[in-house]
Amino acid sequence: MPAQQKKIIFCVAGVLSFACALGTAAAIGAQLWVKATILCKTGALLVNATGQELEKFIGKIQYGLFYGERVRQCGLGGRPFQFSFFPDLLKIIPASIHVSVILFCAVLIVFALVGAGFFMFNAFGSPYETLHGPLGLYLWSFVSCCCGCLIMILFSSEVKIHHLSEKIANFKEGSFTFKTHSEQFADSFWIILVCSLVQFLNALLIRFAGFEFPFSKPKDSGTSTGAVDLMY
């Protein structure tokens, strides 16, 4: 492939990688990772609410990695309550998983920025044959893609398996019990998915530029022939 086309491909990959870093940073500070509705089970059972009457007992909750907001309804109107994960919810959430999600987000940002820098270096500079060349480009893209996948897996398990929304909904609730009525992932969660796909696309762009995958080197025919000769 001509050098000019390679420069264009590396510039595109560098811009995409930099956009992934910015998108992940914005997602970390955003509040919209999960949107859910919560049902005041205790209140609904007390009045035996059915049909449209249940709407008076359905509140809302939305949260991100650091803070969120809960609106509880138990037949007396909505009552908002803002909370933060650190230190308010640290005792009721799976703290190790939550902290791991934040750490992998930070790693994703760092490697996306490093990858963007090396893409631009390969486009306008004189690439070396190790970390500045194809091996490094594959490495940064692969690590960033894996971090994005781990973020989604860990956060999904925290929400679905550990019932994070219900734990937040029942935080400091003595007499009322809340149950998740509906739950869905919001924009920031899907930004991480897009970032992972973009990093995978960058690896394809490296291959499209003409660089073979560095770990699949062709065997030396001369060396293999000499080994066969020695056997005989």
Side-chain angles (χ1 to χ4, degrees), residues 6 8 30 36 54 62 102 114 120 137 212 225 230 232:
K6 288 185 178 181
I8 294 174
L54 282 176
Q62 60 183 22
I102 297 173
V114 171
M120 292 302 180
L137 298 180
E212 297 287 347
T225 305
L230 289 175
Y232 291 94

Side-chain angles (χ1 to χ4, degrees), residues 83-166:
F83 58 87
S84 60
F85 282 89
F86 305 99
D88 295 343
L89 304 178
L90 200 58
K91 294 182 179 180
I92 65 170
I93 65 172
S96 59
I97 298 179
H98 200 79
V99 172
S100 298
V101 171
I102 297 173
L103 290 178
F104 279 118
C105 285
V107 173
L108 175 57
I109 294 174
V110 171
F111 276 88
L113 290 175
V114 171
F118 281 124
F119 274 117
M120 292 302 180
F121 184 85
N122 278 271
F124 300 104
S126 300
Y128 298 106
E129 294 191 11
T130 54
L131 295 183
H132 290 253
L135 177 60
L137 298 180
Y138 279 117
L139 178 63
W140 314 131
S141 300
F142 177 75
V143 172
S144 299
C145 183
C146 289
C147 286
C149 294
L150 287 173
I151 291 168
M152 291 185 295
I153 293 172
L154 291 175
F155 190 76
S156 299
S157 66
E158 185 179 7
V159 173
K160 299 297 183 179
I161 298 177
H162 294 274
H163 306 290
L164 183 60
S165 298
E166 284 191 6

